[in-house]
């Protein structure tokens, strides 16, 4: 497989080829042919000028059609943590992203795809006798390939618009992006840019300086319009536009834009809403109408459709206001050199501009047959390619080249700019990445082997088949074993499974879940997209159902302004999945969690019990469902039964984290703090050494020490097992941060609590933009402990626009905690008391949610409401014994 061109289009094709071939286990030799030093940059993204920004926001520039946030997340991981989807990154940064993404795809596919880079140009493509294609190279070599993708980018401009005297002048710069092309321009030299599109804008940014005048000349004198600083959502295009002739289409679109301007105060949403329909609109026109569009409408279309970043537009506006940039409408008809070395450029209306340099900014040509590219020239001359509509680009069938007779028999493909005659808009990343995936599918489809139905698949440890090979299945079993015992390094095991088999859907889905709900350092959306692609290509009904459950859970939390329906839909899907596949232990771990996952959103003890009881027969007496049922029973208040179940599970599997967790709660809720402290402390030092949530078990020991009113023990425990050097990420937030706040509320920590270290151990996004209500509750507690009122308000703003539980529970909680920090005790008491009945919706255990009741008790004491505080303490002591609560009750006045 040969890809000619390794700029943006070539890199995107190569990414798709590597990843798809690896998923399908299709061996491939891939040759990338391009003279550039680094793949992914091309002309557009080689510039190192920071002011050269993308003209599409970050949110539209992902390499993957099914993962729009990929570029933003890459930027966040590479030092730009505050970037948003609406920002405009530098073009050089995007080139780095393309190169890095391609590099990672090559590494992922290693063993299946062998990749070579040839730093030369392809100059000719011809048939071979055996039906393959031969590429001749500028260095004299050849490459024979089964398939070829021509990712050559836009055709070079020819400057045929320029008079011969201008083209022949040494003051004419015909290729402004060539390295060093602008170096001869002196500090005070005036410059004429011919063209006023985005290329001219970029060069104006580079050339702008005091003492120099930059002129920009185009026939219309129109500069690209700016993007909105705060863009609005696209307005969908009116229906049935594709059936209209050009004259009526113009009228319909004017009405569409006018309606958007009237309703939203901006025409941009209307134009952005047209984007999915542009190809169909163009293809619905006759050749005569397309020619008329190019003559009458194309310029205005381009200046509105291909816009400047807001920061770029502001800089350009300042240069124009200072008269350092002057924009002219006109056409060049003559040029003559002057004695001082400058050049006088004559315009059609009789005006003359005198400048030191003239720069061709007219951009790429439309006609492939008019370019000087020997590769395309040879294809057209030999009949292996045919011109596209109006001679623009080339003719294709979904990217496969048509020959001079209209045939598509050759394995010869293209994408991007060469398809402009057929699609019109085809040069932006959102269009090219979709075409790259389509081309990769077309290339690899004949090579993919049909699944062998008679081959027995490996299974997990509970007997469910896995759509992978034996080595990856073994790694998956290891990860699943660690999930059900709540042991460390489950993510490492699943990562090993997907490295062994990049097309293993369940491995990717497991990683997406661990990243989303457990804070594992994983790219959740990338893993989810890989799971979706893989299960569509190679997955059975159970695996498709599981990936769907995972997708619904993650998407429900990501939907801004969700009304809760997405989460409820995901819960129903999870319960339905377990009804069909009760032996799916991973799904059962999600539905009835004790530590790792957030569970079914509206889960209460009775539903959890029913789920475990319904699925238990599929496990034939296995300790795993017994351990889950133990935790459920203690949440239901059936403490004795919970203790017996936990001990039975531990007898079968002493390392069962779920059973240990259930027994820890049994000791706590029964008030058996000394025995609970001693037993759990011993387990942590023995079987618990490999527990993934070892810090959480330490937190349980510290709860016993807190209940025993042993402040010195709490401090020792925190510094030894819960300080940030021991705990990071979400566990630091949930366990370490909450313990500090509880110790402070109960007067068991004198002086400042060391919560700043906890916050430093947690990603800022996790603190202020948490995905789940459970994490958000603990973020609010930690920020309150730190006294960070502005961050607490930002968290409240996030919660107010998130899912229903965050809106209805977390946002009011933040408001109540703000009152605590502001020492407005009456509204704090009212807010906290009103939230207690709704806290179960947040998830987690009663012991974890009790931090809100602790805060209420503190607020009551600070407000001087002794009777109300006494009532809370007496109710707590009725539930369980606690030396701490007895001491606090005795200390109340009266």
């Amino acid at each position: 497989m040969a890809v000619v061109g390794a700029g943006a289009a070539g890199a995107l094709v190569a990414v798709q080829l590597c990843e798809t071939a690896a998923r399908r286990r299709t061996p491939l030799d891939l040759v990338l042919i391009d003279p550039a030093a680094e793949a992914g940059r091309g002309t557009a993204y080689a510039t190192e000028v920071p002011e050269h920004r993308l003209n599409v926001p970050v949110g539209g520039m992902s390499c993957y059609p099914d993962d729009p946030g990929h570029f933003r997340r890459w930027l966040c991981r590479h030092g730009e943590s505050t970037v948003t989807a609406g920002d405009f990154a530098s073009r050089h940064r995007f080139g780095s992203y393309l190169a890095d993404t391609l590099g990672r795809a090559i590494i992922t596919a290693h063993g299946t795809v062998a990749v070579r880079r040839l730093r030369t140009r392809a100059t000719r493509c011809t048939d071979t006798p055996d039906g393959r294609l031969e590429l001749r190279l500028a260095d004299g070599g050849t490459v024979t390939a089964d398939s070829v993708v021509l990712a050559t980018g836009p055709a070079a401009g020819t400057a045929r618009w320029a008079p011969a005297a201008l083209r022949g002048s040494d003051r004419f710069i015909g290729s402004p992006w060539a390295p060093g092309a602008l170096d001869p321009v002196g500090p005070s030299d005036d410059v004429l840019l011919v063209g006023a599109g985005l290329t001219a804008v970029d060069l104006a940014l580079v050339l702008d300086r005091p003492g120099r005048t930059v002129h920009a000349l185009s026939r219309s004198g129109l500069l690209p319009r700016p993007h909105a600083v705060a863009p609005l959502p696209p307005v969908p295009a009116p229906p049935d536009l594709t059936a209209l002739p050009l004259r009526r289409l113009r009228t319909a679109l004017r009405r569409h834009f006018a309606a958007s301007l009237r309703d939203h105060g901006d025409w941009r949403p209307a134009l952005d809403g047209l984007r999915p329909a542009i190809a169909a609109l163009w293809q619905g026109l006759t050749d005569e109408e397309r020619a008329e569009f190019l003559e009458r409408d194309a310029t205005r279309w381009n200046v509105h459709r291909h816009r400047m970043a807001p920061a770029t537009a502001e800089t350009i506006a300042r240069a124009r206001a200072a008269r350092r940039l002057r924009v002219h409408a006109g056409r060049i008809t003559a040029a003559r050199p002057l004695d001082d070395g400058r050049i006088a450029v004559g315009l059609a209306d009789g005006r003359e501009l005198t400048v030191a340099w003239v720069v061709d900014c007219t951009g790429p040509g439309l006609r492939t047959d008019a370019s000087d590219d020997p590769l395309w020239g040879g294809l057209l001359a030999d009949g292996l390619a045919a011109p596209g509509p109006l001679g623009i680009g080339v003719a294709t069938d979904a990217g496969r080249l048509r020959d001079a007779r209209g045939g598509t028999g050759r394995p010869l493909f293209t994408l991007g700019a060469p398809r402009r005659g057929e699609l019109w808009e085809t040069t932006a990343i959102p269009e090219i990445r979709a075409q790259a995936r389509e081309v990769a599918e077309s290339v690899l489809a004949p090579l993919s082997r049909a699944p062998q139905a008679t081959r027995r698949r490996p299974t997990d440890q509970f007997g469910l088949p896995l759509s992978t090979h034996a080595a990856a299945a073994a790694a998956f079993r290891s990860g699943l074993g660690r999930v059900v015992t709540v042991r460390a390094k489950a993510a490492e095991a699943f990562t090993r499974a997907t490295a062994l088999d990049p097309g293993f859907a369940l491995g990717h889905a497991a990683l997406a879940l661990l990243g989303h709900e457990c804070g594992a350092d994983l790219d959740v959306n990338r893993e989810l997209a890989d799971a979706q692609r893989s299960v569509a290509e190679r997955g059975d009904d159970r695996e498709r159902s599981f990936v769907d459950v995972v997708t619904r859970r993650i998407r429900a939390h990501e939907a801004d302004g969700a009304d809760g329906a997405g989460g409820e839909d995901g819960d129903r899907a999870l319960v339905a999945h377990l009804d069909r596949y009760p032996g799916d232990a991973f799904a059962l771990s999600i539905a009835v969690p004790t530590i790792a996952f957030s569970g079914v959103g509206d889960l209460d003890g009775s539903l959890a019990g029913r789920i475990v009881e319904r699925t238990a027969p599929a496990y034939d007496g296995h300790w795993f469902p017994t351990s889950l049922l133990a935790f459920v029973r203690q949440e239901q208040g059936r403490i004795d039964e919970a203790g017996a179940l936990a001990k039975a599970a531990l007898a079968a599997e002493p390392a069962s984290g779920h059973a240990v967790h259930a027994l820890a709660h049994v000791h706590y809720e029964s008030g058996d703090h000394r025995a609970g402290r001693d037993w759990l402390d011993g387990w942590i030092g023995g079987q618990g050494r490999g527990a993934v949530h070892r810090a959480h078990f330490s937190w349980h020991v510290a709860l016993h020490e807190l209940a025993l009113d042993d402040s010195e023990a709490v401090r020792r425990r925190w510094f030894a097992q819960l300080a940030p050097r021991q705990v990071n990420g979400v566990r630091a937030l949930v366990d370490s941060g909450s313990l500090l706040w509880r110790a402070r509320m109960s007067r068991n920590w004198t002086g400042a609590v060391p919560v700043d270290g906890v916050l430093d151990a947690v990603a800022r996004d996790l603190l202020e933009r948490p995905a789940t209500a459970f994490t958000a509750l603990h973020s609010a507690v930690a920020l309150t402990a730190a006294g960070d009122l502005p961050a607490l308000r930002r968290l409240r703003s996030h919660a107010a626009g998130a899912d229903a539980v965050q809106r209805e529970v977390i946002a009011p909680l933040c408001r109540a905690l703000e009152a605590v920090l502001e020492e407005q005790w009456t509204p704090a008491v009212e807010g906290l008391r009103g939230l207690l009945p709704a806290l179960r919706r947040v998830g987690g255990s009663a012991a974890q949610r009790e931090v809100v009741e602790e805060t209420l008790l503190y607020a009551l004491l600070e407000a001087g409401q002794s009777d109300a505080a006494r009532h809370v303490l007496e109710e707590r002591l009725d539930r369980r014994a606690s030396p701490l609560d007895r001491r606090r009750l005795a200390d109340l006045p009266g």
Side-chain angles (χ1 to χ4, degrees):
M1 177 71 219
V3 176
V4 179
L12 290 172
V13 168
V15 166
Q16 291 289 340
L17 285 168
C18 287
E19 294 188 355
T20 306
R23 283 198 311 273
R24 297 177 183 178
R25 289 178 261 168
T26 303
L28 190 68
D29 288 324
L30 179 60
V31 183
L32 305 180
I33 303 170
D34 191 289
E38 185 179 15
R41 293 204 177 275
T43 300
Y45 307 118
T47 173
E48 296 185 15
V49 178
E51 292 80 11
H52 285 169
R53 297 184 177 276
L54 299 169
N55 61 310
V56 174
V58 164
M61 294 295 288
S62 167
C63 286
Y64 300 100
D66 54 356
D67 186 5
H70 189 254
F71 180 40
R72 188 192 72 81
R73 299 196 306 277
W74 184 91
L75 288 170
C76 290
R77 291 195 304 273
H78 289 79
E80 299 184 38
S81 59
T82 61
V83 71
T84 70
D87 290 336
F88 292 81
S90 74
R91 293 219 302 272
H92 189 268
R93 211 64 175 123
F94 184 72
S96 300
Y97 162 69
L98 285 173
D100 185 58
T101 303
L102 175 57
R104 290 175 182 274
I106 291 171
I107 292 170
T108 298
H110 179 70
T112 303
V113 182
V115 180
R116 286 185 292 150
R117 275 285 311 276
L118 301 180
R119 290 188 57 187
T120 184
R121 295 185 185 278
T123 58
R124 192 83 175 185
C125 180
T126 57
D127 291 325
T128 65
D130 60 356
R132 305 169 81 198
L133 295 163
E134 182 180 83
L135 291 167
R136 299 178 195 169
L137 308 180
D139 63 5
T142 61
V143 171
T144 302
D146 296 291
S147 298
V148 172
V149 177
L150 303 174
T152 53
T158 60
R160 291 176 184 172
W161 53 267
L166 179 57
R167 287 200 305 273
S169 171
D170 59 4
R171 292 295 180 128
F172 179 68
I173 300 175
S175 301
W177 295 117
L182 299 179
D183 290 351
V185 179
S188 59
D189 287 352
D190 291 347
V191 180
L192 171 61
L193 307 178
V194 183
L198 291 171
T199 299
V201 166
D202 282 340
L203 292 178
L205 294 175
V206 173
L207 295 167
D208 180 38
R209 62 182 298 158
R212 171 188 291 154
T213 300
V214 177
H215 301 271
L217 173 73
S218 70
R219 295 196 178 193
S220 67
L222 297 175
L223 287 175
R225 298 297 191 259
H227 281 279
V229 175
L232 297 169
V235 175
D240 303 325
L241 291 179
T242 55
L244 298 178
L246 180 60
R247 179 179 56 81
R248 291 176 58 193
L249 179 60
R250 280 198 196 97
T251 301
L253 292 182
R254 287 194 189 104
R255 290 172 180 163
H256 178 51
F257 298 142
S260 177
L261 196 60
R262 181 181 64 249
D263 296 341
H264 305 286
D266 193 350
W267 50 267
R268 296 174 185 83
L271 189 53
D272 295 341
L274 281 177
R275 188 164 190 164
I278 289 172
L281 291 176
W282 177 255
Q283 290 166 352
L285 301 177
T286 64
D287 278 355
E288 291 76 13
E289 289 173 324
R290 290 173 183 160
E292 182 183 343
F293 171 85
L294 292 175
E295 180 65 28
R296 289 185 50 186
D297 307 298
T299 296
R300 288 189 178 274
W301 170 267
N302 286 331
V303 301
H304 288 83
R305 168 69 184 83
H306 301 286
R307 306 194 283 272
M308 292 185 279
T312 301
E314 184 179 345
T315 303
I316 291 295
R318 286 199 300 267
R320 294 190 74 181
R323 303 286 289 166
R324 296 194 305 272
L325 174 62
R326 302 182 185 182
V327 182
H328 310 273
R331 180 171 56 85
I332 294 176
T333 56
R336 57 187 177 84
L338 302 178
D339 292 341
D340 60 2
R342 294 185 298 166
I343 189 166
V345 178
L347 305 184
D349 61 3
R351 288 179 295 157
E352 191 171 78
L353 295 174
T354 301
V355 294
W357 300 89
V358 178
V359 182
D360 184 1
C361 298
T362 56
L366 289 177
R367 295 180 64 98
T368 303
D369 58 359
S371 74
D372 297 326
D373 187 331
L375 176 62
W376 282 108
L379 287 167
L380 291 165
D382 295 343
L384 274 66
L390 303 183
I392 301 172
V394 293
T396 74
D397 179 10
R400 194 171 190 128
L401 262 67
R402 293 187 180 277
D403 60 26
R405 293 179 294 181
T408 57
R410 290 179 183 81
L412 187 57
F413 303 83
T414 192
L415 74 163
R419 298 187 64 189
R420 195 169 183 191
E422 295 179 333
L423 304 175
W424 182 242
E425 291 289 347
T426 180
T427 57
I429 293 297
E431 284 77 31
I432 294 175
R433 68 191 181 199
Q435 294 174 29
R437 183 167 67 176
E438 185 179 46
V439 166
E441 288 288 339
S442 298
V443 169
L444 294 174
L447 309 178
S448 299
R449 292 172 293 183
Q452 298 178 8
T454 58
R455 184 177 177 181
R456 184 176 180 181
R457 291 185 293 163
T459 66
D460 67 18
Q461 52 265 61
F462 299 97
L464 294 180
L466 300 173
S467 296
T468 187
H469 53 68
F476 182 84
R477 284 193 295 272
S478 174
L480 181 56
R482 293 176 180 275
V483 166
V484 299
T485 53
V486 200
R487 307 290 285 177
K489 299 188 177 179
E492 289 85 341
F494 292 130
T495 298
R496 188 164 63 252
T498 56
L500 290 166
D501 180 3
F504 184 21
L506 288 189
H508 290 297
L511 289 169
L513 267 176
L514 291 175
H516 178 256
E517 302 207 17
C518 303
D521 186 17
L522 296 159
D523 189 337
V524 172
N525 285 282
R526 184 79 248 116
E527 296 295 345
L528 183 60
D530 285 338
Q532 292 167 335
R533 287 202 217 113
S534 299
V535 83
E537 294 174 351
R538 172 166 43 96
D540 62 20
D541 289 343
R542 195 265 304 192
E543 291 164 324
R544 282 191 289 272
S545 177
F546 183 80
V547 171
D548 179 62
V549 165
V550 174
T551 301
R552 289 171 188 264
R553 288 179 69 79
I554 293 173
R555 293 291 178 250
H557 287 303
E558 290 180 345
D560 287 339
D563 59 4
E568 293 169 5
D569 180 55
D571 293 344
R572 285 193 294 269
L574 176 54
V575 173
H577 175 85
L578 283 167
D579 284 341
R580 293 194 300 275
Y581 310 105
D584 192 332
F586 210 139
L588 186 57
S589 296
I590 302 167
V592 188
T594 78
I595 305 177
F597 303 104
S598 59
V600 174
D602 60 351
L603 193 65
D604 60 22
S606 60
L607 178 54
R610 289 199 300 273
I611 290 174
V612 178
E613 288 160 358
R614 282 204 308 265
T615 57
Y619 296 88
D620 193 24
H622 195 276
W623 57 264
F624 172 56
T626 304
S627 68
L628 297 182
L629 191 57
F631 190 83
V632 169
R633 292 298 185 238
Q634 65 81 26
E635 283 285 293
Q636 294 171 333
R638 296 159 66 172
I639 301 300
D640 292 341
E641 184 181 350
L645 288 167
K647 290 173 183 176
L650 285 168
E653 176 49 79
S656 170
H658 294 297
V660 171
H661 196 204
L663 197 53
H665 279 272
V666 167
H667 284 135
Y668 185 71
E669 298 300 337
S670 63
D672 196 0
H673 299 298
R674 294 185 191 281
R677 176 196 61 191
D678 295 343
W679 175 82
L680 189 52
D681 205 19
W683 184 85
I684 290 171
Q687 291 285 349
R689 287 183 181 275
V692 66
H693 298 299
R694 193 164 181 261
H696 187 63
F697 296 120
S698 296
W699 175 84
H700 270 281
V701 180
L703 276 196
H704 287 306
E705 293 168 338
L706 201 58
L708 291 168
D709 213 13
D710 189 345
S711 58
E712 287 305 313
V714 171
R715 293 176 73 96
R716 287 195 303 271
R717 180 76 52 185
W718 195 87
F719 282 111
Q721 297 178 353
L722 289 162
R725 67 178 184 274
Q726 306 289 338
V727 188
N728 290 296
V730 71
R731 286 262 67 100
L733 197 63
V734 171
D735 298 323
S736 308
S738 69
L739 179 66
L740 287 175
W741 182 242
R742 290 170 81 134
R744 179 177 164 186
M745 294 300 95
S746 62
R747 308 290 199 274
N748 267 286
W749 197 293
T750 55
V753 294
V755 72
D756 287 346
V758 173
L759 299 184
D760 291 342
V762 181
R764 183 55 55 174
D765 267 8
L766 191 66
L767 270 174
E768 297 184 14
R769 292 180 289 276
T772 68
F774 177 74
T775 304
L777 182 147
H778 289 87
S779 295
V781 167
L783 292 171
T784 304
D788 194 340
L789 189 59
L792 190 58
R793 286 174 173 156
R794 290 193 293 272
L795 175 61
R796 171 160 59 89
S797 176
H798 162 79
D803 59 82
V805 181
Q806 291 207 51
R807 285 202 312 271
E808 296 165 15
V809 181
I810 301 303
L813 174 64
C814 290
R815 192 175 293 109
L817 293 176
E818 290 167 31
V820 169
L821 289 179
E822 293 169 332
E823 298 186 356
Q824 297 178 9
W825 301 114
T826 299
V829 166
E830 292 173 353
L832 292 167
R833 181 184 282 134
L835 283 170
L836 293 181
L839 284 178
R840 180 179 284 276
R841 298 176 63 196
V842 170
S845 68
Q848 289 170 315
R849 299 189 298 267
E850 195 177 63
V851 68
V852 178
E853 187 181 65
E854 287 283 354
T855 309
L856 170 62
L857 183 56
Y858 176 80
L860 286 169
L861 294 171
E862 291 294 322
Q865 299 183 28
S866 300
D867 290 342
R870 180 177 291 105
H871 178 71
V872 172
L873 286 167
E874 288 173 345
E875 280 193 338
R876 285 159 64 99
L877 286 167
D878 285 342
R879 293 201 304 266
R880 62 172 174 267
S882 167
L884 170 64
D885 286 347
R886 284 200 300 270
R887 188 260 296 171
R888 289 194 285 194
L889 185 61
D891 288 346
L892 288 176

